[in-house]
Amino acid sequence: MPGPNEYFNVPLRRVSIGNTDEFRHPGAIKAAVAEFISTLMFVFAGSGSGIAYNKLTGNGPASPGGLIAASIAHAFGLFVAVSVGANISGGHVNPAVTFGLFVGGNITLFRGILYIIAQLLGSVAACFLLSFTTGGLVVPAFALSDGVSVLHAFVFEIVMTFGLVYTVYATAVDPKKGEVGIIAPIAIGFIVGANILAGGAFTGASMNPAVAFGPAVVSFTWANHWIYWAGPLVGGGLAGVIYEVFFISHTHEPLQEF
């Protein structure tokens, strides 16, 4: 009778630390630059849509139209950002995605750190560019809506990011993805857009520590900022562990590099 390991992978079995030489490896440096550029593009479009909405409405109150606009801008922006980075770095564009791939053994710790630094710098650069190009308009930082508790926001970010990283695994990482891999960037963009429609009115629907970090730096707004790190990292890590344990192929075919 088959043992449990015939059906399920051991959690964290493929986690790899790597070594500091990766910080100097040409391939890793190129990948980090790609992550910087992709994140800059994504944050510039996403946060820029919020600035444009505030300008058009005279800093008016949030509205269903503004939520839909934010959803579309982020979905389209992420679709493009993932697409242009996919063949160089894998198109993570998100520390939570990088962390989720790390716990599944798809990227080493040291390369992951390099990616996350590049993502954070890309977001900060995008927000400073937005502040400059808009003549000093405020770059809106993520914040909890009235009546939303810290616990509720934390769980909301976990669930939304779980869905995002699970989608990344199913469409871009899983060796069995087949032709589904062709639509991976648009599927990833769509789940982010859908989650913004669900969570934007409550937490802003970050799902991405880098997306929250850039506006926080430029506007120097740090209230409850930890939620936009802890929630996505927990959600991304859970998605990586669960997909690796239950769904990654148990044959000896090599896992495709992402």
Side-chain angles (χ1 to χ4, degrees), residues 146-223:
D146 292 340
V148 178
S149 72
V150 168
L151 176 60
H152 291 160
F154 177 57
V155 175
F156 221 137
E157 287 291 328
I158 290 174
V159 175
M160 290 187 292
T161 313
F162 178 92
L164 166 59
V165 177
Y166 189 91
T167 301
V168 170
Y169 263 88
T171 62
V173 177
D174 194 326
K176 306 185 298 297
K177 64 183 181 290
E179 294 184 357
V180 172
I182 298 172
I183 67 164
I186 197 166
I188 293 165
F190 276 6
I191 188 60
V192 165
N195 279 338
I196 288 173
L197 291 176
F202 299 93
T203 70
S206 167
M207 298 167 275
N208 185 332
V211 165
F213 183 74
V217 169
V218 173
S219 66
F220 207 74
T221 302
W222 301 100

Side-chain angles (χ1 to χ4, degrees), residues 31-41 115 117-119 121-123 125:
V33 172
E35 286 294 311
F36 173 87
I37 294 172
S38 288
T39 308
L40 187 153
M41 292 169 58
Y115 276 29
I117 291 171
Q119 293 156 2
L121 291 176
S123 178

Side-chain angles (χ1 to χ4, degrees), residues 242-253:
I242 288 172
Y243 204 98
E244 169 67 21
V245 169
F246 292 102
F247 304 118
I248 290 293
S249 175
H250 297 275
T251 67
H252 294 291
E253 59 185 302

